[in-house]
Amino acid sequence: MSLTFYWYPKCGTCRKAKKWLDDHQLSYKEIHIAETPPSRSELKDFHQKSGLELKKFFNTSGQKYRELGMKDKMKSASVDELLEILASDGMLIKRPILTDGDKITVGFKEEEYEKMWL
């Protein structure tokens, strides 16, 4: 199983997830989400495969989310518009994202990681 780990090194939650992966000796390719964010098509694929609502992919506590007034835009924007906004800035994306190409987790919950990745 080849894992890809999108993370932001200054994010405490991302560091916890990375430690969990290392502690469980899972190998992964790490990608700095702000420097190399997933493309619009990758985000669309993640969204479809995850079964999560698109809102779950937004870093709702981030400064950029507030600056762009995303709370209001979420109500009226189409999925395509939201994907375009998400792909425009890695800091808008909730992190970490862990995927093997088929399964995806967004954020870090130890129980969820154990269920999905062990």
Side-chain angles (χ1 to χ4, degrees), residues 47 50-60 65 74 82 86 92-97 105-107 109:
H47 172 239
S50 72
L52 298 169
E53 59 181 307
L54 193 54
K55 182 182 181 186
K56 298 284 186 195
F57 284 84
F58 279 87
N59 176 12
T60 57
Y65 184 87
M74 295 297 271
L82 292 175
L86 257 185
L92 280 170
I93 303 169
K94 185 171 177 76
R95 53 194 182 259
I97 293 177
T105 52
V106 180
K109 290 191 175 97

Side-chain angles (χ1 to χ4, degrees), residues 20-70:
W20 187 93
L21 291 168
D22 293 341
D23 288 350
H24 290 84
Q25 298 168 350
L26 294 170
S27 61
Y28 54 91
K29 174 183 172 190
E30 60 184 68
I31 298 175
H32 191 298
I33 202 163
E35 292 173 0
T36 312
S39 68
R40 184 189 183 288
S41 63
E42 287 172 311
L43 288 164
K44 183 177 183 177
D45 186 53
F46 294 168
H47 172 239
Q48 290 171 339
K49 289 179 177 174
S50 72
L52 298 169
E53 59 181 307
L54 193 54
K55 182 182 181 186
K56 298 284 186 195
F57 284 84
F58 279 87
N59 176 12
T60 57
S61 59
Q63 183 178 344
K64 195 77 174 175
Y65 184 87
R66 289 190 300 275
E67 280 174 14
L68 294 175
M70 288 307 301

Side-chain angles (χ1 to χ4, degrees), residues 6 29 35 44 52 62 78 85 98 104 117:
Y6 289 90
K29 174 183 172 190
E35 292 173 0
K44 183 177 183 177
L52 298 169
S78 71
I85 293 167
L98 185 61
I104 289 107
W117 308 114

